[in-house]
Structures are given as C-alpha cells and as structure tokens.
Amino acid sequence: METDHEEVVDGRARRYYRLTTEGAALLSAEAERLRRNADTAAARLRRGPAARPSLGGAS
C-alpha cells in the first residue's frame, strides 16, 4: 500500500492509500489462507462434538 493523496477536512488531515500490485498479491494470499482455515473449522464442526478435541473443562 502506498500513499495516494492527503487533504484536510474540517481541520483534520485525511490520508488516502492505494493498493499496490504487491499489496494486492499479499492480500489475495491472506484471503486464501483465511478461507482455508474457515473451511477446516466448518468441516470440524460438521463432524460433531465427538471429533472435536477436549479443552480440559468440566462437561
């Protein structure tokens, strides 16, 4: 990400950013990593409580 432009609105500075090609690639990779984690979590939930590890708490 890099600074695109700045302006002052109501006495407060605002800075706007632009997503770079490198930033877009990193964002895409992170989105895919999060999607895989969510898919794994959803699959474990579908298997039911017996498939989930115990957290050591009282039942």
Side-chain angles (χ1 to χ4, degrees):
M1 197 171 19
E2 58 187 40
T3 303
D4 187 44
H5 68 278
E6 296 179 12
E7 65 183 9
V8 176
V9 177
D10 295 328
R12 298 187 65 175
R14 289 186 181 180
R15 185 173 292 148
Y16 297 85
Y17 295 92
R18 183 168 32 94
L19 189 61
T20 62
T21 301
E22 181 184 0
L26 291 170
L27 180 59
S28 179
E30 179 65 4
E32 180 58 30
R33 185 186 72 80
L34 292 171
R35 188 175 305 110
R36 283 192 311 267
N37 286 345
D39 289 346
T40 298
R44 288 180 182 174
L45 286 171
R46 282 190 299 271
R47 284 189 252 152
R52 288 183 227 133
S54 172
L55 297 178
S59 302

Short mmCIF file of all heavy atoms in Angstrom, two decimals:
data_model
loop_
_atom_site.label_atom_id
_atom_site.label_comp_id
_atom_site.label_asym_id
_atom_site.label_seq_id
_atom_site.Cartn_x
_atom_site.Cartn_y
_atom_site.Cartn_z
N MET A 1 0.85 -1.15 0.00
CA MET A 1 0.00 0.00 0.00
C MET A 1 0.90 1.23 0.00
O MET A 1 1.95 1.24 0.62
CB MET A 1 -0.87 -0.04 1.26
CG MET A 1 -2.03 0.84 1.20
SD MET A 1 -3.28 0.69 2.52
CE MET A 1 -2.52 -0.12 3.86
N GLU A 2 0.48 2.25 -0.70
CA GLU A 2 1.26 3.49 -0.69
C GLU A 2 0.30 4.68 -0.64
O GLU A 2 -0.87 4.57 -0.99
CB GLU A 2 2.19 3.58 -1.88
CG GLU A 2 1.52 3.50 -3.22
CD GLU A 2 2.53 3.41 -4.36
OE1 GLU A 2 3.56 2.72 -4.23
OE2 GLU A 2 2.26 4.05 -5.38
N THR A 3 0.82 5.79 -0.14
CA THR A 3 0.00 6.98 -0.01
C THR A 3 -0.41 7.48 -1.39
O THR A 3 0.42 7.60 -2.29
CB THR A 3 0.77 8.09 0.73
OG1 THR A 3 1.17 7.59 2.00
CG2 THR A 3 -0.08 9.31 0.93
N ASP A 4 -1.69 7.74 -1.56
CA ASP A 4 -2.21 8.25 -2.81
C ASP A 4 -2.29 9.78 -2.76
O ASP A 4 -1.77 10.46 -3.63
CB ASP A 4 -3.59 7.64 -3.10
CG ASP A 4 -4.12 8.01 -4.46
OD1 ASP A 4 -3.34 7.96 -5.43
OD2 ASP A 4 -5.31 8.36 -4.56
N HIS A 5 -2.97 10.30 -1.72
CA HIS A 5 -3.04 11.75 -1.54
C HIS A 5 -3.51 12.07 -0.12
O HIS A 5 -3.96 11.20 0.60
CB HIS A 5 -3.93 12.41 -2.59
CG HIS A 5 -5.39 12.08 -2.45
ND1 HIS A 5 -5.94 10.92 -2.95
CD2 HIS A 5 -6.41 12.76 -1.88
CE1 HIS A 5 -7.25 10.90 -2.69
NE2 HIS A 5 -7.55 12.00 -2.04
N GLU A 6 -3.36 13.33 0.23
CA GLU A 6 -3.79 13.81 1.55
C GLU A 6 -4.63 15.06 1.35
O GLU A 6 -4.47 15.78 0.37
CB GLU A 6 -2.58 14.13 2.43
CG GLU A 6 -1.71 12.93 2.74
CD GLU A 6 -0.51 13.30 3.59
OE1 GLU A 6 -0.45 14.41 4.14
OE2 GLU A 6 0.40 12.44 3.70
N GLU A 7 -5.54 15.29 2.30
CA GLU A 7 -6.33 16.52 2.30
C GLU A 7 -6.73 16.84 3.72
O GLU A 7 -6.67 15.98 4.60
CB GLU A 7 -7.56 16.38 1.40
CG GLU A 7 -8.57 15.35 1.87
CD GLU A 7 -9.75 15.19 0.91
OE1 GLU A 7 -9.71 15.75 -0.20
OE2 GLU A 7 -10.71 14.51 1.29
N VAL A 8 -7.15 18.06 3.95
CA VAL A 8 -7.63 18.48 5.26
C VAL A 8 -9.13 18.71 5.15
O VAL A 8 -9.60 19.45 4.29
CB VAL A 8 -6.92 19.76 5.74
CG1 VAL A 8 -7.49 20.22 7.07
CG2 VAL A 8 -5.42 19.51 5.86
N VAL A 9 -9.90 18.02 6.02
CA VAL A 9 -11.35 18.13 6.05
C VAL A 9 -11.75 18.49 7.46
O VAL A 9 -11.40 17.79 8.41
CB VAL A 9 -12.01 16.80 5.61
CG1 VAL A 9 -13.53 16.89 5.71
CG2 VAL A 9 -11.59 16.43 4.21
N ASP A 10 -12.47 19.59 7.61
CA ASP A 10 -12.90 20.06 8.94
C ASP A 10 -11.72 20.17 9.90
O ASP A 10 -11.81 19.81 11.07
CB ASP A 10 -13.98 19.15 9.53
CG ASP A 10 -15.27 19.17 8.72
OD1 ASP A 10 -15.58 20.23 8.14
OD2 ASP A 10 -15.95 18.13 8.67
N GLY A 11 -10.59 20.63 9.39
CA GLY A 11 -9.43 20.83 10.23
C GLY A 11 -8.66 19.57 10.57
O GLY A 11 -7.70 19.61 11.33
N ARG A 12 -9.06 18.45 10.01
CA ARG A 12 -8.38 17.18 10.30
C ARG A 12 -7.77 16.63 9.02
O ARG A 12 -8.41 16.63 7.97
CB ARG A 12 -9.37 16.17 10.88
CG ARG A 12 -9.95 16.64 12.22
CD ARG A 12 -10.77 15.59 12.85
NE ARG A 12 -9.90 14.46 13.19
CZ ARG A 12 -10.29 13.41 13.85
NH1 ARG A 12 -11.54 13.31 14.25
NH2 ARG A 12 -9.45 12.44 14.13
N ALA A 13 -6.55 16.15 9.14
CA ALA A 13 -5.86 15.59 7.98
C ALA A 13 -6.42 14.21 7.66
O ALA A 13 -6.69 13.41 8.55
CB ALA A 13 -4.37 15.48 8.27
N ARG A 14 -6.62 13.97 6.38
CA ARG A 14 -7.02 12.64 5.89
C ARG A 14 -5.97 12.18 4.90
O ARG A 14 -5.53 12.92 4.04
CB ARG A 14 -8.37 12.70 5.18
CG ARG A 14 -9.53 12.93 6.09
CD ARG A 14 -10.81 12.82 5.31
NE ARG A 14 -11.94 13.06 6.19
CZ ARG A 14 -13.19 13.04 5.81
NH1 ARG A 14 -13.48 12.79 4.53
NH2 ARG A 14 -14.16 13.26 6.66
N ARG A 15 -5.60 10.93 5.04
CA ARG A 15 -4.63 10.34 4.12
C ARG A 15 -5.31 9.18 3.41
O ARG A 15 -5.93 8.33 4.03
CB ARG A 15 -3.41 9.85 4.89
CG ARG A 15 -2.30 9.34 3.99
CD ARG A 15 -1.05 9.02 4.76
NE ARG A 15 -0.49 10.27 5.28
CZ ARG A 15 0.17 10.37 6.43
NH1 ARG A 15 0.35 9.31 7.18
NH2 ARG A 15 0.65 11.52 6.81
N TYR A 16 -5.18 9.13 2.12
CA TYR A 16 -5.77 8.08 1.31
C TYR A 16 -4.65 7.20 0.76
O TYR A 16 -3.59 7.70 0.40
CB TYR A 16 -6.58 8.68 0.16
CG TYR A 16 -7.76 9.49 0.64
CD1 TYR A 16 -7.60 10.83 0.99
CD2 TYR A 16 -9.00 8.91 0.78
CE1 TYR A 16 -8.67 11.58 1.45
CE2 TYR A 16 -10.08 9.65 1.24
CZ TYR A 16 -9.91 10.98 1.58
OH TYR A 16 -10.97 11.71 2.04
N TYR A 17 -4.93 5.92 0.70
CA TYR A 17 -3.92 4.95 0.25
C TYR A 17 -4.39 4.24 -1.01
O TYR A 17 -5.58 4.12 -1.27
CB TYR A 17 -3.65 3.92 1.35
CG TYR A 17 -3.04 4.53 2.57
CD1 TYR A 17 -3.84 4.97 3.62
CD2 TYR A 17 -1.67 4.66 2.69
CE1 TYR A 17 -3.29 5.54 4.75
CE2 TYR A 17 -1.10 5.23 3.81
CZ TYR A 17 -1.92 5.67 4.84
OH TYR A 17 -1.35 6.24 5.96
N ARG A 18 -3.44 3.75 -1.74
CA ARG A 18 -3.70 2.99 -2.95
C ARG A 18 -3.06 1.62 -2.78
O ARG A 18 -1.93 1.50 -2.30
CB ARG A 18 -3.07 3.73 -4.13
CG ARG A 18 -3.30 3.12 -5.46
CD ARG A 18 -2.91 4.07 -6.61
NE ARG A 18 -1.80 4.96 -6.30
CZ ARG A 18 -0.52 4.70 -6.59
NH1 ARG A 18 -0.19 3.58 -7.18
NH2 ARG A 18 0.43 5.56 -6.29
N LEU A 19 -3.78 0.58 -3.16
CA LEU A 19 -3.26 -0.78 -3.08
C LEU A 19 -2.32 -1.02 -4.25
O LEU A 19 -2.69 -0.83 -5.41
CB LEU A 19 -4.42 -1.78 -3.11
CG LEU A 19 -4.10 -3.22 -2.83
CD1 LEU A 19 -3.52 -3.39 -1.43
CD2 LEU A 19 -5.36 -4.07 -2.97
N THR A 20 -1.09 -1.43 -3.94
CA THR A 20 -0.11 -1.71 -4.99
C THR A 20 -0.30 -3.12 -5.52
O THR A 20 -1.04 -3.93 -4.93
CB THR A 20 1.32 -1.57 -4.43
OG1 THR A 20 1.49 -2.54 -3.39
CG2 THR A 20 1.59 -0.18 -3.89
N THR A 21 0.37 -3.43 -6.59
CA THR A 21 0.32 -4.78 -7.16
C THR A 21 0.82 -5.80 -6.13
O THR A 21 0.21 -6.85 -5.94
CB THR A 21 1.15 -4.85 -8.44
OG1 THR A 21 0.63 -3.89 -9.37
CG2 THR A 21 1.10 -6.23 -9.07
N GLU A 22 1.92 -5.47 -5.47
CA GLU A 22 2.48 -6.37 -4.44
C GLU A 22 1.49 -6.51 -3.27
O GLU A 22 1.27 -7.62 -2.77
CB GLU A 22 3.80 -5.84 -3.92
CG GLU A 22 4.42 -6.73 -2.87
CD GLU A 22 5.71 -6.15 -2.29
OE1 GLU A 22 6.12 -5.06 -2.69
OE2 GLU A 22 6.30 -6.83 -1.43
N GLY A 23 0.89 -5.42 -2.87
CA GLY A 23 -0.09 -5.46 -1.79
C GLY A 23 -1.30 -6.30 -2.15
O GLY A 23 -1.84 -7.04 -1.33
N ALA A 24 -1.75 -6.19 -3.38
CA ALA A 24 -2.89 -6.98 -3.85
C ALA A 24 -2.57 -8.47 -3.80
O ALA A 24 -3.41 -9.29 -3.42
CB ALA A 24 -3.31 -6.55 -5.25
N ALA A 25 -1.35 -8.83 -4.18
CA ALA A 25 -0.94 -10.23 -4.15
C ALA A 25 -0.90 -10.74 -2.71
O ALA A 25 -1.36 -11.86 -2.41
CB ALA A 25 0.42 -10.41 -4.81
N LEU A 26 -0.38 -9.92 -1.79
CA LEU A 26 -0.34 -10.31 -0.38
C LEU A 26 -1.75 -10.44 0.19
O LEU A 26 -2.05 -11.37 0.95
CB LEU A 26 0.48 -9.29 0.43
CG LEU A 26 1.97 -9.27 0.17
CD1 LEU A 26 2.61 -8.05 0.83
CD2 LEU A 26 2.62 -10.55 0.66
N LEU A 27 -2.61 -9.51 -0.16
CA LEU A 27 -3.99 -9.55 0.31
C LEU A 27 -4.71 -10.80 -0.21
O LEU A 27 -5.42 -11.47 0.54
CB LEU A 27 -4.73 -8.29 -0.14
CG LEU A 27 -6.19 -8.17 0.26
CD1 LEU A 27 -6.36 -8.21 1.78
CD2 LEU A 27 -6.78 -6.89 -0.30
N SER A 28 -4.48 -11.14 -1.45
CA SER A 28 -5.08 -12.33 -2.04
C SER A 28 -4.60 -13.59 -1.33
O SER A 28 -5.40 -14.49 -1.02
CB SER A 28 -4.74 -12.40 -3.53
OG SER A 28 -5.28 -13.56 -4.10
N ALA A 29 -3.31 -13.68 -1.04
CA ALA A 29 -2.76 -14.84 -0.35
C ALA A 29 -3.33 -14.95 1.06
O ALA A 29 -3.66 -16.05 1.52
CB ALA A 29 -1.23 -14.75 -0.30
N GLU A 30 -3.46 -13.83 1.75
CA GLU A 30 -4.02 -13.84 3.11
C GLU A 30 -5.49 -14.24 3.09
O GLU A 30 -5.95 -15.01 3.94
CB GLU A 30 -3.84 -12.47 3.77
CG GLU A 30 -4.40 -12.37 5.17
CD GLU A 30 -3.71 -13.26 6.20
OE1 GLU A 30 -2.71 -13.94 5.88
OE2 GLU A 30 -4.18 -13.27 7.36
N ALA A 31 -6.24 -13.74 2.12
CA ALA A 31 -7.65 -14.12 1.99
C ALA A 31 -7.78 -15.63 1.76
O ALA A 31 -8.66 -16.28 2.34
CB ALA A 31 -8.31 -13.34 0.86
N GLU A 32 -6.91 -16.19 0.94
CA GLU A 32 -6.94 -17.63 0.69
C GLU A 32 -6.58 -18.41 1.95
O GLU A 32 -7.21 -19.43 2.26
CB GLU A 32 -5.98 -17.99 -0.46
CG GLU A 32 -5.93 -19.47 -0.78
CD GLU A 32 -7.29 -20.06 -1.15
OE1 GLU A 32 -8.13 -19.33 -1.70
OE2 GLU A 32 -7.51 -21.26 -0.87
N ARG A 33 -5.60 -17.95 2.72
CA ARG A 33 -5.23 -18.60 3.97
C ARG A 33 -6.41 -18.60 4.94
O ARG A 33 -6.75 -19.63 5.54
CB ARG A 33 -4.04 -17.89 4.61
CG ARG A 33 -3.51 -18.58 5.86
CD ARG A 33 -2.43 -17.76 6.54
NE ARG A 33 -2.96 -16.58 7.20
CZ ARG A 33 -3.57 -16.59 8.41
NH1 ARG A 33 -3.70 -17.71 9.07
NH2 ARG A 33 -4.03 -15.49 8.93
N LEU A 34 -7.09 -17.47 5.06
CA LEU A 34 -8.24 -17.38 5.95
C LEU A 34 -9.39 -18.27 5.47
O LEU A 34 -10.09 -18.90 6.27
CB LEU A 34 -8.71 -15.92 6.06
CG LEU A 34 -7.75 -15.00 6.80
CD1 LEU A 34 -8.19 -13.55 6.65
CD2 LEU A 34 -7.61 -15.38 8.25
N ARG A 35 -9.58 -18.34 4.14
CA ARG A 35 -10.64 -19.20 3.58
C ARG A 35 -10.37 -20.66 3.91
O ARG A 35 -11.27 -21.40 4.30
CB ARG A 35 -10.71 -18.98 2.07
CG ARG A 35 -11.90 -19.66 1.41
CD ARG A 35 -12.03 -19.33 -0.09
NE ARG A 35 -12.08 -17.90 -0.33
CZ ARG A 35 -11.09 -17.19 -0.92
NH1 ARG A 35 -9.99 -17.78 -1.32
NH2 ARG A 35 -11.22 -15.90 -1.10
N ARG A 36 -9.10 -21.09 3.79
CA ARG A 36 -8.76 -22.49 4.13
C ARG A 36 -9.01 -22.76 5.60
O ARG A 36 -9.53 -23.82 5.96
CB ARG A 36 -7.29 -22.77 3.77
CG ARG A 36 -7.05 -22.98 2.29
CD ARG A 36 -5.66 -23.55 2.01
NE ARG A 36 -4.60 -22.84 2.71
CZ ARG A 36 -3.90 -21.83 2.22
NH1 ARG A 36 -4.15 -21.38 1.01
NH2 ARG A 36 -2.94 -21.27 2.91
N ASN A 37 -8.62 -21.82 6.47
CA ASN A 37 -8.87 -22.00 7.91
C ASN A 37 -10.35 -22.09 8.21
O ASN A 37 -10.78 -22.91 9.01
CB ASN A 37 -8.23 -20.86 8.71
CG ASN A 37 -6.74 -20.96 8.78
OD1 ASN A 37 -6.15 -22.00 8.49
ND2 ASN A 37 -6.09 -19.88 9.17
N ALA A 38 -11.15 -21.25 7.57
CA ALA A 38 -12.60 -21.28 7.78
C ALA A 38 -13.19 -22.60 7.28
O ALA A 38 -14.06 -23.19 7.94
CB ALA A 38 -13.27 -20.10 7.09
N ASP A 39 -12.72 -23.08 6.14
CA ASP A 39 -13.20 -24.37 5.61
C ASP A 39 -12.86 -25.51 6.57
O ASP A 39 -13.68 -26.40 6.81
CB ASP A 39 -12.59 -24.65 4.24
CG ASP A 39 -13.15 -23.76 3.14
OD1 ASP A 39 -14.18 -23.10 3.36
OD2 ASP A 39 -12.52 -23.72 2.06
N THR A 40 -11.65 -25.49 7.13
CA THR A 40 -11.24 -26.52 8.10
C THR A 40 -12.12 -26.47 9.34
O THR A 40 -12.59 -27.51 9.82
CB THR A 40 -9.76 -26.33 8.49
OG1 THR A 40 -8.96 -26.48 7.31
CG2 THR A 40 -9.32 -27.34 9.53
N ALA A 41 -12.37 -25.28 9.85
CA ALA A 41 -13.21 -25.13 11.04
C ALA A 41 -14.63 -25.62 10.76
O ALA A 41 -15.22 -26.34 11.57
CB ALA A 41 -13.23 -23.67 11.50
N ALA A 42 -15.17 -25.26 9.62
CA ALA A 42 -16.53 -25.68 9.27
C ALA A 42 -16.62 -27.20 9.14
O ALA A 42 -17.58 -27.82 9.60
CB ALA A 42 -16.97 -25.02 7.96
N ALA A 43 -15.60 -27.82 8.54
CA ALA A 43 -15.59 -29.28 8.40
C ALA A 43 -15.55 -29.95 9.77
O ALA A 43 -16.24 -30.94 10.01
CB ALA A 43 -14.40 -29.72 7.56
N ARG A 44 -14.76 -29.42 10.69
CA ARG A 44 -14.68 -30.00 12.04
C ARG A 44 -16.00 -29.84 12.77
O ARG A 44 -16.42 -30.74 13.51
CB ARG A 44 -13.55 -29.36 12.82
CG ARG A 44 -12.20 -29.82 12.32
CD ARG A 44 -11.07 -29.21 13.08
NE ARG A 44 -9.80 -29.65 12.53
CZ ARG A 44 -8.63 -29.21 12.91
NH1 ARG A 44 -8.54 -28.30 13.85
NH2 ARG A 44 -7.54 -29.67 12.34
N LEU A 45 -16.68 -28.72 12.59
CA LEU A 45 -17.97 -28.53 13.24
C LEU A 45 -19.02 -29.49 12.69
O LEU A 45 -19.87 -29.98 13.44
CB LEU A 45 -18.44 -27.07 13.06
CG LEU A 45 -17.71 -26.05 13.90
CD1 LEU A 45 -18.11 -24.64 13.48
CD2 LEU A 45 -17.96 -26.26 15.38
N ARG A 46 -18.96 -29.76 11.39
CA ARG A 46 -19.93 -30.69 10.78
C ARG A 46 -19.76 -32.11 11.31
O ARG A 46 -20.72 -32.88 11.35
CB ARG A 46 -19.78 -30.68 9.26
CG ARG A 46 -20.41 -29.49 8.59
CD ARG A 46 -20.46 -29.65 7.08
NE ARG A 46 -19.15 -29.80 6.47
CZ ARG A 46 -18.39 -28.77 6.06
NH1 ARG A 46 -18.80 -27.54 6.18
NH2 ARG A 46 -17.21 -29.01 5.51
N ARG A 47 -18.53 -32.47 11.72
CA ARG A 47 -18.29 -33.82 12.23
C ARG A 47 -18.90 -34.05 13.60
O ARG A 47 -19.02 -35.17 14.04
CB ARG A 47 -16.79 -34.10 12.29
CG ARG A 47 -16.21 -34.37 10.92
CD ARG A 47 -14.80 -34.85 11.04
NE ARG A 47 -13.95 -33.75 10.57
CZ ARG A 47 -12.72 -33.52 10.97
NH1 ARG A 47 -12.16 -34.27 11.88
NH2 ARG A 47 -12.03 -32.53 10.47
N GLY A 48 -19.23 -32.99 14.31
CA GLY A 48 -19.88 -33.13 15.60
C GLY A 48 -18.91 -33.09 16.76
O GLY A 48 -17.69 -33.10 16.59
N PRO A 49 -19.45 -33.06 17.99
CA PRO A 49 -18.63 -32.89 19.20
C PRO A 49 -17.63 -34.01 19.43
O PRO A 49 -16.57 -33.77 19.99
CB PRO A 49 -19.64 -32.84 20.34
CG PRO A 49 -20.98 -32.87 19.74
CD PRO A 49 -20.84 -33.11 18.27
N ALA A 50 -17.92 -35.22 19.01
CA ALA A 50 -17.00 -36.34 19.25
C ALA A 50 -15.68 -36.15 18.51
O ALA A 50 -14.65 -36.65 18.93
CB ALA A 50 -17.66 -37.65 18.83
N ALA A 51 -15.70 -35.40 17.40
CA ALA A 51 -14.50 -35.20 16.59
C ALA A 51 -13.67 -34.02 17.08
O ALA A 51 -12.55 -33.84 16.62
CB ALA A 51 -14.88 -34.99 15.14
N ARG A 52 -14.23 -33.22 17.98
CA ARG A 52 -13.51 -32.05 18.46
C ARG A 52 -12.68 -32.39 19.68
O ARG A 52 -13.12 -33.11 20.56
CB ARG A 52 -14.50 -30.94 18.83
CG ARG A 52 -15.12 -30.32 17.60
CD ARG A 52 -16.03 -29.18 17.98
NE ARG A 52 -17.26 -29.39 17.23
CZ ARG A 52 -18.46 -29.32 17.73
NH1 ARG A 52 -18.65 -29.00 18.98
NH2 ARG A 52 -19.50 -29.53 16.98
N PRO A 53 -11.47 -31.84 19.78
CA PRO A 53 -10.63 -32.11 20.95
C PRO A 53 -11.21 -31.45 22.20
O PRO A 53 -11.85 -30.40 22.13
CB PRO A 53 -9.29 -31.49 20.59
CG PRO A 53 -9.60 -30.48 19.53
CD PRO A 53 -10.82 -30.98 18.81
N SER A 54 -11.01 -32.09 23.33
CA SER A 54 -11.46 -31.54 24.60
C SER A 54 -10.55 -30.40 25.01
O SER A 54 -9.35 -30.43 24.80
CB SER A 54 -11.41 -32.64 25.66
OG SER A 54 -11.66 -32.08 26.93
N LEU A 55 -11.16 -29.39 25.63
CA LEU A 55 -10.37 -28.25 26.11
C LEU A 55 -10.03 -28.40 27.58
O LEU A 55 -9.49 -27.51 28.20
CB LEU A 55 -11.14 -26.95 25.88
CG LEU A 55 -11.41 -26.62 24.41
CD1 LEU A 55 -12.21 -25.33 24.30
CD2 LEU A 55 -10.11 -26.49 23.64
N GLY A 56 -10.36 -29.54 28.18
CA GLY A 56 -9.99 -29.81 29.56
C GLY A 56 -10.94 -29.25 30.58
O GLY A 56 -10.70 -29.33 31.78
N GLY A 57 -12.03 -28.63 30.15
CA GLY A 57 -13.00 -28.05 31.08
C GLY A 57 -14.01 -29.08 31.55
O GLY A 57 -14.06 -30.21 31.07
N ALA A 58 -14.83 -28.69 32.52
CA ALA A 58 -15.88 -29.57 33.00
C ALA A 58 -16.95 -29.71 31.94
O ALA A 58 -17.23 -28.79 31.19
CB ALA A 58 -16.48 -29.00 34.29
N SER A 59 -17.57 -30.87 31.87
CA SER A 59 -18.62 -31.12 30.87
C SER A 59 -19.95 -30.64 31.35
O SER A 59 -20.35 -30.79 32.42
CB SER A 59 -18.73 -32.60 30.57
OG SER A 59 -17.49 -33.08 30.10
#
